[in-house]
């Protein structure tokens, strides 16, 4: 499998999260049957100020959040397997590391579990899944939990 992730650190210290992110995304790519493509995901880890700025610039929402996703393909393109034969970005995921730390404490599980969840959540948004209604939410959550459980990344500390 070619490199499927490019991890960037924006105004935060590189604390070596690359391997965890890559492991999670490899599983996501395999589950979605895109592991034999030349696609990759760009993941930017940053602080609350930057994610707020990006959220305002791209979504016109002036508040910080935990994760943002920016797909480069439409869902029907992905479902039909219409990928470029050249190396191309599947989408961008931006994650606020401080928010990951806060949510891990709030939800009572490890930082690694929360970061993994953010990566999986962002990935499925890139793949065209959403949680705007109960049916969509159930489908997306089942996919997310399947990935995390198969990697033995549990909610417990």
């Amino acid at each position: 499998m070619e490199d499927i992730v490019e991890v960037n650190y924006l105004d935060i210290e590189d604390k070596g999260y690359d391997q965890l992110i890559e492991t999670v995304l490899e599983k996501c790519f395999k589950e979605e049957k895109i592991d034999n493509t030349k696609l990759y995901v760009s993941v930017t880890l940053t602080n609350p100020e930057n994610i707020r700025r990006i959220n305002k610039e791209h979504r016109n929402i002036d508040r910080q959040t935990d994760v943002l996703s920016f797909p480069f393909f439409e869902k029907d393109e992905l479902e039909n397997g219409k990928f470029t034969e050249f190396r191309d970005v599947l989408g961008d995921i931006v994650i606020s590391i401080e928010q990951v730390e806060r949510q891990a404490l709030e939800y009572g599980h490890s930082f690694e579990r929360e970061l993994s969840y953010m990566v999986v959540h962002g990935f499925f948004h890139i793949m065209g899944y959403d949680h705007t209604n109960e049916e969509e939410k159930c489908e997306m959550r089942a996919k997310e939990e399947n990935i995390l459980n198969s990697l033995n990344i549990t909610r417990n500390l």
Side-chain angles (χ1 to χ4, degrees), residues 31 86 97 147 152:
E31 286 295 316
F86 303 104
I97 290 298
I147 297 290
N152 201 27

Side-chain angles (χ1 to χ4, degrees), residues 18-35:
D18 300 38
Q19 186 58 56
L20 175 64
I21 293 168
E22 183 174 346
T23 299
V24 171
L25 284 173
E26 281 179 355
K27 187 65 174 172
C28 290
F29 270 59
K30 286 179 184 171
E31 286 295 316
E32 291 298 303
K33 297 176 181 38
I34 58 170
D35 52 324

Side-chain angles (χ1 to χ4, degrees), residues 61-74:
I61 299 173
D62 189 13
R63 66 177 161 85
Q64 64 180 338
T65 188
D66 48 8
V67 61
L68 294 169
S69 302
F70 302 98
F72 282 44
F73 292 91
E74 296 294 326

Side-chain angles (χ1 to χ4, degrees), residues 18 33 56-57 63 81 85 92 102 104 116 121 127 131 145 148 152:
D18 300 38
K33 297 176 181 38
K56 184 172 176 25
E57 286 175 12
R63 66 177 161 85
E85 58 190 75
D92 293 328
R102 279 194 290 273
S116 298
H121 188 76
M127 294 299 294
H131 44 84
E145 289 301 320
L148 296 172
N152 201 27

Side-chain angles (χ1 to χ4, degrees), residues 105-118:
L105 287 172
E106 179 183 337
Y107 301 140
H109 51 248
S110 70
F111 172 86
E112 289 76 15
R113 197 277 178 196
E114 188 64 18
L115 178 57
S116 298
Y117 176 76
M118 290 297 122

Side-chain angles (χ1 to χ4, degrees), residues 25 28-29 32 34 41 69 90 93 118-129:
L25 284 173
C28 290
F29 270 59
E32 291 298 303
I34 58 170
V41 174
S69 302
L90 179 63
I93 300 172
M118 290 297 122
V119 171
V120 171
H121 188 76
F123 173 80
F124 281 113
H125 274 306
I126 286 172
M127 294 299 294
Y129 294 91

Side-chain angles (χ1 to χ4, degrees), residues 8-156:
N8 305 290
Y9 293 81
L10 178 60
D11 296 334
I12 65 167
E13 182 182 342
D14 179 343
K15 293 200 176 175
Y17 305 129
D18 300 38
Q19 186 58 56
L20 175 64
I21 293 168
E22 183 174 346
T23 299
V24 171
L25 284 173
E26 281 179 355
K27 187 65 174 172
C28 290
F29 270 59
K30 286 179 184 171
E31 286 295 316
E32 291 298 303
K33 297 176 181 38
I34 58 170
D35 52 324
N36 291 318
T37 67
K38 294 184 182 268
L39 297 170
Y40 72 97
V41 174
S42 172
V43 177
T44 300
L45 305 175
T46 193
N47 59 36
E49 296 79 24
N50 283 329
I51 206 163
R52 180 179 185 158
R53 177 183 51 76
I54 294 165
N55 203 16
K56 184 172 176 25
E57 286 175 12
H58 295 278
R59 299 179 63 231
N60 204 28
I61 299 173
D62 189 13
R63 66 177 161 85
Q64 64 180 338
T65 188
D66 48 8
V67 61
L68 294 169
S69 302
F70 302 98
F72 282 44
F73 292 91
E74 296 294 326
K75 188 171 185 178
D76 64 325
E77 292 175 301
L78 296 171
E79 288 171 348
N80 294 325
K82 293 186 178 178
F83 306 117
T84 176
E85 58 190 75
F86 303 104
R87 186 151 166 78
D88 202 0
V89 65
L90 179 63
D92 293 328
I93 300 172
V94 183
I95 299 171
S96 171
I97 290 298
E98 285 180 42
Q99 190 64 26
V100 169
E101 291 169 346
R102 279 194 290 273
Q103 288 176 189
L105 287 172
E106 179 183 337
Y107 301 140
H109 51 248
S110 70
F111 172 86
E112 289 76 15
R113 197 277 178 196
E114 188 64 18
L115 178 57
S116 298
Y117 176 76
M118 290 297 122
V119 171
V120 171
H121 188 76
F123 173 80
F124 281 113
H125 274 306
I126 286 172
M127 294 299 294
Y129 294 91
D130 212 340
H131 44 84
T132 55
N133 63 49
E134 198 58 36
E135 183 180 334
E136 289 177 346
K137 182 179 179 179
C138 286
E139 180 182 20
M140 188 169 175
R141 292 294 182 261
K143 286 182 163 291
E144 293 166 344
E145 289 301 320
N146 176 53
I147 297 290
L148 296 172
N149 289 337
S150 69
L151 293 170
N152 201 27
I153 300 174
T154 62
R155 294 180 184 264
N156 302 331

